Amino acid sequence: MSVGFKGSDASQLYRFKDIQTVPGAMDLVDIVLSATQRRTPTVVHPQYDISRIRSFYMRKVKHCQQEYHDKFSAILSQFPKIDDIHPFYADLCNVLYDKDHYKIALGQVNAVRNSVDQMAKEYVRLLKYADSSYKCKMLKRAALGRMCTIVKKLKNSLAYLEEVRRHLGRLPGINPFSRSVLLAGFPNVGKSTFMNVLSNANVETANWSFTTQSLYVGHFDYKYQPWQVIDTPGVLDRPLSSRNTIELCAITAMAHLSCAVLFLVDISEHCGHTVADQVKLFHSLRPLLQHKPVVVVLNKIDLRGVDSLTAQEQEMIKSMGEGFDLIHFVACSTLEKLNLDEAKNKACEMLLSLKVQKRLMAGKTAYNTLDELYVTNVTPLAERPPIGAPPTRGDLAARDEMGDEKLLEKDLMEVEGGAGVYNADTRKHWQLEDESWKYDEVPEILNGKNVADFVDPEIDAKLRALEEEEAELERTWDKDVQAPTQDWYDAQAALREITIERETRRLMSRIKNSNNQRTQARQYMDTEAFKQRLAPMGIDPEEILERLTKYEKETTTIRARRQLFKPDRKTAVYGTNVERKVELEKDIHRVNKRYTKPKKSQPKDQINEADRFIGAKRPKHLFSGKRTIGKTDRR
């Protein structure tokens, strides 16, 4: 939850009631594994290629990891970050439950999310190199099992976050940026009754202390603008370390909310505390109320009037206004509803005037205009121009001899031609043991070695000597004596023939193995040529010709008879002689059986993945009969 507080609309970001329920560790495991089973393929066959089997199981692992990642990311994003929300809510959360424990729980969820991501990455890497279906299945099983084991360790953290979520959902919807009026004081002084009269709230009231045990919010309109009134639990006059959680809620609201404070004082002392104790409590809360408009409400005047107060009690009440710029005293009665509107209106007016004063004290906006700038009108003297002429070479030489002023690179640039022409010498001020080292060539390093160490300084001389030697050999070479012999030419010719033959065979093999070769027409052979071809093989051609002739006659007869009994297109009924049709079909079956080679049946134990055979895809025990509740979570 990204939270900032730069405007009145920021209250919409504090919607703690919208946080989703945090499932327990075992529930989260069941949710993720069930989603993985439902949203991924569930059938894999042994005849599948190994790459397809790997993809099947890798998809399972990745989907399970993504489900865990999404669940944990939702938890981390929905819960507020203590360091980013308004200080009022941050301290309130710290009061209700320790923020360190809260941060540790969220940190453990984040750590488990990262561990699950890393674990899935490792097992997917192992699945890529699995060489059997059994290994793939075992790796998938180990990956899902380890993920579930890590998630189960979050049992306590997830239960704690669920408890925090429920408590956050019960927090009041207080807008820390809205115009607010806060009710404070001892318990049972009439704060809840005052709130029920001013707003549309319905806070429980009773005659005993600490009836209000948390913050309550009501709303009312003043000058056509919405205001919120906050009822706080009663606060006792004791050290901060001794106050309980209920009291710390009220202290947190007074410390962080920019509001007007209505401090109720029960002058009748029916609350169980004297006026002196209530005044002492006000002085102990002075640091929290110092910069806020305060209205001291002298409540329950129907039981005891202000005139009946002793002089000492009146002095103590007057001392409450010392040191405050904005403070006002109003005598009221919440039971008879006397002067309640006066107290409310006075608090609202004081808060509005304070906000206007703060805006005015913020200062006037500065505009970058000439009207607000002061520019002098003094004319510069002729002998003292504001910008001097650039120095000459003579001026620089004189300054260098005198040594009074240090020569600047800017002066040298003006003399040598200006910017873009003069190149500053960056080495002239180097401090080295030997001045001659300043302008040495910077060594070129390659693979950790200096290239200059491998350069031969006499390479040019050696190259010239080699070229002269080659020229001398060309001049002294005798073609008649040193020419190649006939054996050398014969060897070269044989080598070329071998190369041509090798390339030819390679090309023919490539053409033979290619699938896009040209289809040749069938060549027919006459009887004499057929006999001449079978004679060298030791085969009697007469027997073969007799069989072929007999087969041709039978097939010709069958084709003719089949053409005779061709079905009519209109009636789709065969000829009238049904018996002859049946005999024709029998003859066709007999001829095909005689001249067709029987197929060998393949045993079942030799079935492999190349047969494209897929058995029953649906196991009988899962898809037959009625499944009762609790029997559909098979993984």
Side-chain angles (χ1 to χ4, degrees):
M1 176 182 289
S2 61
V3 178
F5 20 93
K6 287 187 178 179
S8 58
D9 295 337
S11 61
Q12 300 178 0
L13 301 176
Y14 304 107
R15 298 182 61 88
F16 300 127
K17 294 181 177 61
D18 296 341
I19 301 177
Q20 299 297 325
T21 304
V22 180
M26 296 302 299
D27 296 338
L28 183 61
V29 169
D30 292 340
I31 291 171
V32 171
L33 292 184
S34 299
T36 303
Q37 179 68 8
R38 287 185 286 104
R39 299 174 184 175
T40 56
T42 57
V43 180
V44 62
H45 298 282
Q47 62 268 22
Y48 284 171
D49 188 68
I50 187 62
S51 61
R52 186 174 179 181
I53 297 175
R54 290 172 187 161
S55 301
F56 175 84
Y57 287 107
M58 281 192 291
R59 185 174 178 182
K60 292 274 188 183
V61 176
K62 290 180 180 178
H63 193 278
C64 184
Q65 174 264 330
Q66 190 62 38
E67 288 289 335
Y68 278 125
H69 184 88
D70 294 342
K71 297 294 182 183
F72 291 142
S73 299
I75 294 174
L76 295 174
S77 61
Q78 290 181 0
F79 275 88
K81 295 179 176 58
I82 298 296
D83 298 334
D84 295 342
I85 60 178
H86 194 274
F88 164 69
Y89 279 108
D91 284 357
L92 188 61
C93 294
N94 189 28
V95 167
L96 299 176
Y97 42 84
D98 192 359
K99 67 177 181 181
D100 294 334
H101 295 171
Y102 175 76
K103 289 183 177 180
I104 289 174
L106 291 180
Q108 290 176 348
V109 172
N110 187 29
V112 170
R113 180 183 65 175
N114 297 335
S115 299
V116 169
D117 295 344
Q118 185 65 25
M119 192 178 301
K121 187 182 299 183
E122 293 176 359
Y123 276 95
V124 167
R125 188 184 301 114
L126 293 175
L127 280 168
K128 289 182 180 179
Y129 299 101
D131 55 357
S132 66
S133 176
Y134 179 77
K135 287 184 179 180
C136 294
K137 183 178 180 180
M138 290 299 104
L139 287 173
K140 184 268 296 183
R141 185 175 179 180
L144 269 61
R146 287 191 62 188
M147 291 181 192
C148 296
T149 302
I150 294 178
V151 173
K152 289 178 183 178
K153 294 181 181 179
L154 282 177
K155 178 181 178 181
N156 297 332
S157 298
L158 294 178
Y160 173 75
L161 290 176
E162 173 61 17
E163 183 180 353
V164 171
R165 183 199 67 83
R166 293 177 181 177
H167 205 278
L168 285 175
R170 293 192 293 266
L171 289 179
I174 298 176
N175 184 359
F177 307 97
S178 178
R179 303 173 182 85
S180 305
V181 175
L182 187 139
L183 305 177
F186 263 96
N188 204 21
V189 296
K191 298 187 297 297
S192 300
T193 307
F194 193 98
M195 179 176 178
N196 292 336
V197 173
L198 290 184
S199 65
N200 54 1
N202 187 15
V203 184
E204 182 182 0
T205 59
N207 292 328
W208 54 80
S209 302
F210 287 105
T211 306
T212 304
Q213 297 184 359
S214 63
L215 300 176
Y216 288 91
V217 182
H219 297 84
F220 64 90
D221 292 337
Y222 179 74
K223 291 188 177 180
Y224 306 103
Q225 292 179 344
W227 288 65
Q228 64 181 4
V229 54
I230 303 171
D231 183 15
T232 62
V235 181
L236 299 179
D237 185 19
R238 52 185 177 180
L240 184 63
S241 58
S242 302
R243 290 192 170 105
N244 55 21
T245 303
I246 299 176
E247 295 177 86
L248 290 177
C249 291
I251 298 297
T252 303
M254 284 187 283
H256 294 291
L257 294 179
S258 177
C259 58
V261 179
L262 292 175
F263 190 85
L264 277 72
V265 177
D266 184 5
I267 60 177
S268 66
E269 299 182 351
H270 278 68
C271 63
H273 301 278
T274 62
V275 175
D277 294 339
Q278 300 179 59
V279 173
K280 186 178 179 181
L281 173 64
F282 181 84
H283 288 299
S284 65
L285 298 177
R286 180 182 292 271
L288 302 177
L289 309 177
Q290 190 69 39
H291 301 289
K292 294 181 174 64
V294 179
V295 176
V296 179
V297 179
L298 305 178
N299 196 18
K300 300 183 181 180
I301 58 175
D302 54 323
L303 299 177
R304 182 185 182 186
V306 180
D307 299 336
S308 62
L309 294 175
T310 63
Q312 184 179 3
E313 290 176 344
Q314 293 181 1
E315 289 296 329
M316 286 188 295
I317 292 175
K318 290 181 181 179
S319 65
M320 297 172 64
E322 298 177 359
F324 281 92
D325 297 332
L326 295 175
I327 191 170
H328 187 73
F329 294 88
V330 178
C332 300
S333 174
T334 55
L335 182 62
E336 297 182 358
K337 301 180 182 180
L338 296 176
N339 300 331
L340 297 184
D341 290 336
E342 179 183 354
K344 178 193 71 172
N345 297 339
K346 188 61 179 179
C348 296
E349 287 293 340
M350 293 171 66
L351 182 61
L352 291 177
S353 62
L354 179 62
K355 289 188 175 182
V356 172
Q357 184 180 0
K358 286 183 177 180
R359 285 198 299 268
L360 294 177
M361 295 297 293
K364 185 180 179 181
T365 304
Y367 296 94
N368 190 11
T369 59
L370 294 178
D371 297 337
E372 299 184 2
L373 296 177
Y374 174 74
V375 180
T376 180
N377 295 324
V378 178
T379 304
L381 299 177
E383 60 274 10
R384 294 186 61 185
I387 300 177
T392 60
R393 293 180 183 270
D395 297 339
L396 294 180
R399 288 164 55 183
D400 190 12
E401 292 178 359
M402 296 175 62
D404 296 338
E405 299 181 15
K406 184 178 179 181
L407 294 180
L408 302 178
E409 291 294 332
K410 180 180 179 182
D411 300 334
L412 296 175
M413 180 185 68
E414 295 293 340
V415 173
E416 297 296 336
V421 179
Y422 173 71
N423 189 12
D425 188 2
T426 59
R427 300 188 182 186
K428 63 181 181 180
H429 296 298
W430 286 5
Q431 297 178 1
L432 303 176
E433 295 181 2
D434 190 353
E435 293 294 332
S436 61
W437 294 351
K438 289 184 179 181
Y439 300 99
D440 289 348
E441 293 294 334
V442 178
E444 182 179 359
I445 305 300
L446 180 64
N447 296 331
K449 298 178 181 179
N450 190 356
V451 178
D453 296 340
F454 299 89
V455 175
D456 190 356
E458 300 179 358
I459 188 67
D460 295 335
K462 292 180 180 180
L463 180 60
R464 285 194 299 269
L466 182 60
E467 292 176 352
E468 292 176 359
E469 184 180 355
E470 291 180 354
E472 184 65 24
L473 290 176
E474 289 181 358
R475 287 194 300 268
T476 60
W477 180 53
D478 189 358
K479 295 182 180 180
D480 297 335
V481 178
Q482 301 179 5
T485 60
Q486 185 63 31
D487 295 337
W488 184 83
Y489 286 111
D490 295 341
Q492 294 295 322
L495 182 61
R496 283 196 298 271
E497 292 178 0
I498 292 173
T499 303
I500 293 173
E501 181 66 20
R502 183 179 61 186
E503 294 296 332
T504 302
R505 291 185 179 183
R506 184 181 299 171
L507 181 61
M508 293 302 295
S509 177
R510 187 181 303 172
I511 294 175
K512 181 179 178 181
N513 295 332
S514 63
N515 296 327
N516 57 351
Q517 57 184 348
R518 182 175 61 85
T519 303
Q520 297 181 354
R522 180 178 296 179
Q523 298 179 359
Y524 293 91
M525 189 180 301
D526 56 358
T527 306
E528 294 300 329
F530 183 68
K531 291 179 179 180
Q532 293 177 3
R533 187 170 182 179
L534 293 180
M537 299 181 184
I539 300 175
D540 187 8
E542 297 297 336
E543 182 181 358
I544 302 298
L545 290 175
E546 183 180 358
R547 291 175 58 188
L548 290 176
T549 304
K550 185 177 179 181
Y551 176 75
E552 183 179 1
K553 289 181 180 180
E554 291 182 357
T555 54
T556 303
T557 305
I558 290 172
R559 284 197 297 268
R561 293 167 65 185
R562 181 180 294 176
Q563 186 68 22
L564 180 63
F565 294 103
K566 187 176 181 181
D568 190 2
R569 293 183 179 179
K570 295 182 179 181
T571 60
V573 179
Y574 283 88
T576 57
N577 195 347
V578 181
E579 297 179 356
R580 294 183 61 187
K581 174 180 177 298
V582 173
E583 293 178 359
L584 173 62
E585 296 296 336
K586 291 182 178 179
D587 293 341
I588 294 173
H589 178 69
R590 184 173 63 254
V591 171
N592 291 337
K593 184 175 180 182
R594 183 186 304 171
Y595 294 99
T596 303
K597 187 176 181 180
K599 295 183 180 180
K600 295 182 179 180
S601 60
Q602 188 176 13
K604 294 184 178 180
D605 57 351
Q606 295 182 1
I607 295 177
N608 54 20
E609 63 181 11
D611 294 331
R612 301 178 181 270
F613 173 77
I614 299 177
K617 290 186 177 181
R618 297 188 174 187
K620 184 178 180 181
H621 69 283
L622 285 181
F623 297 94
S624 62
K626 182 179 179 182
R627 291 182 295 175
T628 58
I629 298 177
K631 300 296 183 181
T632 59
D633 59 346
R634 177 181 179 271
R635 303 185 189 98

